Amino acid sequence: MKAIVQRVMQASVTVGDEVVSSIGRGLCVLVGISRNDTVKEMEYIVRKILHLRVFEDDQQKRWSKSVVDKQLEILCVSQFTLMCTLKGNKPDYHESMAADQSKVFYEEFLSQLGKAYAPEKIKDGKFGAYMQVHIQNDGPVTIPLESPVTTQKESQKKEADTKGLASASSCDGTT
């Protein structure tokens, strides 16, 4: 599971001409769900989003308060393109969870965020819709998060790809 967390002054999601969700100061989180994600990955990302210290305290000391500490809102947007791998210049989305499963997983993710924080502070876009996300990034502060299992699987895949390239080059006589 991956998330791109942005500290924002305001953010909103529009579908067509309709604003479906908006927040003031807080976090806008783009969420990518892998086909291999489980509740364990979800819990990790929820915990990180809620406790990530990207806000200042009352004395303006930076990096000392979380969204929970400041009682701010979170706008989440499901974004399967975060699970993209490139095949040459073409995006490949085979690592993304299938849409029907992903919708259920994403809804549970939103529910878990609400249970761990405050349901009324959690907003989201419209799953599967063509959306425009309007973000006024604050700082700018943008933090990428990945669950450890996703990171481990990607490292293993890269290692396997590297070994495959090394084998191919040694087989054809090139160095």
Side-chain angles (χ1 to χ4, degrees):
M1 194 166 179
K2 295 181 182 181
I4 303 296
V5 180
Q6 297 182 309
R7 185 177 73 187
V8 299
M9 293 303 292
Q10 60 185 4
S12 63
V13 176
T14 305
V15 176
D17 293 331
E18 178 189 357
V19 175
V20 295
S21 198
S22 66
I23 64 169
R25 190 156 188 248
L27 297 176
C28 182
V29 182
L30 307 176
V31 181
I33 303 169
S34 162
R35 61 188 171 111
N36 299 313
D37 284 335
T38 67
V39 172
K40 183 177 180 182
E41 287 79 32
M42 180 190 305
E43 290 170 347
Y44 175 86
I45 294 293
V46 165
R47 197 169 47 255
K48 285 295 185 184
I49 290 168
L50 294 177
H51 300 289
L52 190 61
R53 294 183 301 174
V54 294
F55 296 96
E56 70 286 340
D57 65 14
D58 294 337
Q59 289 75 41
Q60 301 306 308
K61 182 180 176 194
R62 294 181 182 181
W63 317 113
S64 57
K65 296 292 182 179
S66 70
V67 70
V68 173
D69 296 332
K70 300 288 272 184
Q71 290 294 296
L72 301 173
E73 295 177 300
I74 302 171
L75 174 62
C76 296
V77 180
S78 176
Q79 189 166 353
F80 76 95
T81 60
L82 286 178
M83 301 313 298
C84 169
T85 56
L86 291 178
K87 293 197 175 187
N89 291 325
K90 184 178 181 185
D92 179 274
Y93 303 108
H94 285 93
E95 291 302 315
S96 296
M97 187 176 282
D100 55 338
Q101 293 173 289
S102 184
K103 183 174 183 179
V104 172
F105 193 93
Y106 178 69
E107 288 170 353
E108 182 60 24
F109 165 77
L110 294 173
S111 175
Q112 292 300 320
L113 264 177
K115 286 178 188 173
Y117 181 30
E120 70 279 2
K121 300 243 186 225
I122 308 302
K123 313 289 179 157
D124 74 310
K126 186 173 181 182
F127 187 90
Y130 185 80
M131 297 176 271
Q132 290 74 49
V133 181
H134 307 274
I135 300 168
Q136 184 180 358
N137 198 314
D138 179 23
V141 173
T142 302
I143 310 286
L145 298 176
E146 289 186 53
S147 59
V149 173
T150 301
T151 306
Q152 182 181 14
K153 287 176 187 171
E154 286 183 355
S155 295
Q156 290 170 346
K157 184 179 185 311
K158 286 178 186 173
E159 186 177 308
D161 289 348
T162 303
K163 285 180 182 176
L165 288 174
S167 298
S169 65
S170 65
C171 291
D172 66 8
T174 60
T175 57

